């Protein structure tokens, strides 16, 4: 009887402990189902219950491994997308935005947090891009297109040129998930192409005029049977003048190309150099022309002033500025040439009392071939490249140019160079 009682108690205890272990397992399984994959089940109880706990633990471990692989892949993909220069935009078959990277948000000027889940037509205010997305989905194939985007940034509206490429997004079983659009900003490329095209057109135009004049003069000379020496000399003078003009254009173009090509080396080779002799040499070069027009120079430059400069190039830049100051000033006026340290910069200025420049021309005055008065510049022997050479020389020094002018009163052109302080330190 006592034995039966003991067996009964034992059986009851086993039932209770199995129940307890199963409850534990269930609680653990619930937590696993809720995503707590770090949980490990420890079940005290019969072997079968322990085996079940081991299986649960193994499952949790595998799930955790797979999940961390998925998270890692997602992070890697996110990092790749966010570091891409190209804008990437994914849409579902209903043209709703699934995801977009930072570049796409910037290019299209949209807020990513408000774009996800909304139709591309609502979010992107560009009909070309909307149509491109719709066409990709309708034709169910990869497409390519170029489009122009108008970007409003405060009061300024600018245009951006986009090259768009699309592809259909498919799941592993081949089902269609939507489409991905890759947007490449080719604005800079287009601008450079247009600058190059303009430059070639400008050079051709500039060269065509003297060449046509030479051709006409030579043809006239050849056509004349009885050579009137005086007329012949006049035609030959035209040929000589136009040949000089061609020579000046070619010389300036070669100068520009050389400075552009060698700018890295020029910057690397800059050394602390006295500035006063450079100003003196530039004035000397322009002296005869100034005297012809009774223009007086005044030069201001401390004898010890030194700068990180290439003296030959800086002299060429100053000669261009002084030559302009003479060309565009009436006689019996003054031209002031100065060099000084200003806020850590070496600033070289050429100030004249000439005709000045109207404000609308100032933003473009340093562009190649830009002239406020083409006929006058040509009559004075100008090529329209002088200021562009000055700008390139300043930039080859790591510096910049600036201009102040009042129409009718005169102009001040400046070259701002870095490195005057370093030069001083070297001195002390
Ligand atoms: P150019 O060979 O025509 O002088 P530059 O590039 O040196 O070419 O100058 C471009 C234009 O800028 C000139 O045609 C002229 O209209 C204007 N310009 C340059 N320097 C001066 C100046 N000191 N005063 C007035 N206008 C100037």
């Amino acid at each position: 009887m006592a034995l039966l009682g003991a067996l009964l108690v034992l059986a009851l205890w086993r039932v209770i402990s199995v129940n307890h272990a199963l409850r534990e397992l269930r609680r653990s399984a619930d937590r696993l189902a809720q995503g707590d994959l770090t949980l490990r089940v420890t079940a005290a109880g019969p072997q079968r219950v322990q085996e079940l706990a081991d299986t649960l633990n193994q499952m949790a471990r595998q799930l955790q491994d797979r999940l961390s692989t998925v998270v890692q892949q997602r992070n890697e993909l996110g990092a790749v997308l966010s570091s891409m220069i190209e804008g990437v935009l994914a849409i579902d078959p209903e043209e709703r935005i699934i995801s977009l990277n930072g570049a796409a948000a910037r290019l299209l000027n949209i807020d990513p947090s408000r774009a996800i889940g909304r139709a591309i037509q609502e979010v992107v205010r560009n009909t070309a891009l909307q149509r491109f997305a719709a066409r990709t989905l309708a034709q169910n194939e990869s497409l390519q297109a170029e489009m122009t985007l108008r970007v409003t940034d405060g009061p300024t509206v600018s245009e951006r040129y986009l090259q768009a490429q699309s592809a259909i997004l498919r799941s592993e079983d081949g089902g269609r998930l939507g489409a991905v659009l890759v947007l490449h900003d080719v604005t800079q490329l287009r601008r450079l192409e247009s600058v190059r095209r303009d430059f070639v057109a400008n050079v051709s135009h500039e060269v065509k005029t003297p060449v046509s004049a030479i051709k006409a003069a030579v043809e006239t000379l050849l056509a004349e049977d009885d050579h009137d020496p005086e007329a012949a000399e006049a035609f030959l003078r035209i040929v000589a003048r136009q040949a000089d003009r061609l020579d000046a254009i070619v010389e300036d173009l070669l100068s520009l190309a050389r400075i552009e090509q060698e700018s890295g080396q020029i910057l690397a080779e800059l050394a602390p150099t006295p500035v006063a002799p450079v100003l003196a040499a530039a004035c000397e070069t322009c002296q005869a022309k100034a005297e012809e027009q009774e223009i007086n120079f005044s030069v201001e430059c401390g004898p010890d002033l030194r700068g990180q400069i290439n003296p030959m190039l800086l002299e060429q830049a100053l000669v261009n500025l002084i030559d302009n100051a003479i060309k565009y000033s009436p006689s019996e006026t003054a031209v002031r040439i100065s060099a000084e340290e200003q806020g850590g910069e070496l600033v070289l200025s050429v100030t004249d009392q000439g005709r000045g420049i109207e404000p609308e021309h100032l933003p473009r005055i340093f562009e190649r071939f830009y002239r406020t008065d083409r006929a006058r510049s040509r009559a004075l022997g100008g090529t329209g490249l002088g200021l562009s050479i000055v700008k390139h020389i300043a930039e080859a020094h790591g510096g910049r140019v600036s201009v102040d002018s009042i129409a009718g009163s005169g102009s001040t052109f400046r070259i701002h160079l870095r490195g005057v302080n370093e030069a001083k330190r070297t001195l002390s």
Side-chain angles (χ1 to χ4, degrees):
M1 196 60 189
L3 183 67
L4 193 65
L7 279 174
L8 248 167
V9 169
L10 190 68
L12 201 63
W13 179 80
R14 285 199 68 170
V15 168
I16 290 169
S17 71
V18 167
N19 263 350
H20 177 74
L22 284 175
R23 261 203 308 277
E24 271 299 301
L25 275 183
R26 171 131 185 239
R27 253 200 302 276
S28 303
D30 280 347
R31 283 178 60 191
L32 285 178
Q34 280 162 17
D36 183 3
L37 299 178
T38 54
L39 182 87
R40 293 294 172 262
V41 187
T42 45
Q47 187 168 354
R48 290 224 180 118
V49 175
Q50 278 175 23
E51 281 169 8
L52 202 57
D54 287 346
T55 311
L56 268 180
N57 284 340
Q58 209 179 338
M59 192 183 79
R61 224 172 285 122
Q62 280 176 1
L63 272 175
Q64 202 180 8
D65 285 352
R66 285 205 189 142
L67 197 69
S68 69
T69 309
V70 169
V71 169
Q72 191 186 344
Q73 281 174 348
R74 197 194 59 189
N75 288 347
E76 282 169 6
L77 187 66
V80 169
L81 282 176
S82 65
S83 61
M84 276 176 76
I85 305 166
E86 288 86 2
V88 182
L89 192 89
I91 51 170
D92 69 10
E94 273 72 50
E95 297 179 28
R96 281 187 300 255
I97 296 175
I98 309 170
S99 81
L100 78 164
N101 69 351
R106 275 192 301 280
L107 266 177
L108 303 171
N109 200 16
I110 53 182
D111 176 359
S113 63
R114 293 178 51 186
I116 305 291
R118 289 171 63 196
I120 192 167
Q121 282 82 358
E122 272 180 67
V123 179
V124 179
R125 305 238 168 268
N126 180 277
T127 45
L129 188 59
Q130 292 170 3
R131 260 188 264 128
F132 181 68
R135 225 158 25 94
T136 302
L137 289 171
Q139 292 176 220
N140 206 20
E141 61 179 5
S142 301
L143 298 176
Q144 266 189 3
E146 291 224 358
M147 54 195 73
T148 311
L149 210 68
R150 283 172 74 80
V151 185
T152 326
D153 188 7
T156 51
V157 180
S158 57
E159 285 196 332
R160 271 192 199 148
Y161 301 98
L162 295 188
Q163 220 166 41
Q165 172 107 40
S166 65
I168 297 294
L169 274 177
R170 295 194 187 283
S171 60
E172 261 178 38
D173 59 8
R176 198 170 76 154
L177 297 174
V180 62
L181 315 178
V182 180
L183 310 172
H184 192 59
D185 187 353
V186 289
T187 313
Q188 190 67 2
L189 206 70
R190 290 283 171 277
R191 261 187 211 140
L192 284 177
E193 277 169 9
S194 131
V195 166
R196 205 168 300 137
R197 254 198 318 271
D198 287 355
F199 181 60
V200 172
N202 280 335
V203 171
S204 315
H205 182 75
E206 292 294 329
V207 168
K208 199 172 183 317
T209 318
V211 168
S212 303
I214 292 173
K215 202 164 161 256
V218 171
E219 275 167 4
T220 316
L221 270 176
L222 287 175
E224 290 213 353
D225 290 335
D226 51 337
H227 287 283
D228 168 9
E230 254 179 52
E233 198 186 318
F235 282 120
L236 284 176
R237 275 216 193 89
I238 294 175
V239 171
R241 209 170 43 240
Q242 297 302 333
D244 280 349
R245 187 167 161 64
L246 272 179
D247 188 48
I249 294 173
V250 171
E251 200 50 51
D252 278 357
L253 283 173
L254 285 175
S255 248
L256 265 179
R258 247 192 323 265
I259 298 160
E260 237 167 6
Q261 217 165 41
E262 294 169 8
S263 59
Q265 194 189 341
I266 293 167
L267 194 63
E269 289 174 0
L270 294 181
T273 311
V275 177
V278 181
L279 265 61
C283 290
E284 200 183 309
T285 308
C286 300
Q287 192 63 45
K289 199 167 174 179
E291 273 166 17
E292 271 174 32
Q293 265 182 249
E294 294 175 64
I295 284 180
N296 269 328
F297 288 155
S298 70
V299 182
E300 282 169 39
C301 176
D304 295 329
L305 187 63
R306 285 176 166 234
Q308 295 281 110
I309 56 169
N310 175 316
M312 297 263 284
L313 284 177
L314 199 60
E315 183 184 326
Q316 186 183 353
L318 283 171
V319 166
N320 285 2
L321 292 181
I322 300 169
D323 187 63
N324 279 348
I326 299 169
K327 268 194 317 201
Y328 301 109
S329 292
S331 50
E332 293 179 44
T333 52
V335 172
R336 180 172 164 264
I337 301 117
S338 73
E340 58 187 332
E341 188 203 331
Q342 268 178 27
E345 279 185 333
L346 169 63
V347 182
L348 301 121
S349 332
V350 177
T351 304
D352 63 55
Q353 300 168 330
R355 58 202 287 257
I357 302 162
E358 288 77 15
E360 66 268 25
H361 296 297
L362 290 177
R364 300 190 58 191
I365 204 77
F366 288 96
E367 283 177 23
R368 293 167 191 184
F369 296 118
Y370 190 85
R371 284 174 281 210
T372 61
D373 181 343
R374 194 168 285 268
R376 190 182 163 87
S377 153
R378 283 211 185 118
L380 294 167
T383 60
L385 291 168
L387 288 181
S388 177
I389 292 175
V390 174
K391 181 174 167 228
H392 275 73
I393 291 177
E395 287 173 353
H397 279 77
R400 64 191 167 92
V401 284
S402 68
V403 56
D404 282 328
S405 186
I406 299 170
S409 299
S411 316
T412 296
F413 283 86
R414 292 187 198 87
I415 300 174
H416 306 251
L417 304 181
R418 303 179 307 185
V420 69
N421 279 341
E422 288 156 40
K424 277 195 155 179
R425 242 178 270 133
T426 323
L427 263 183
S428 57

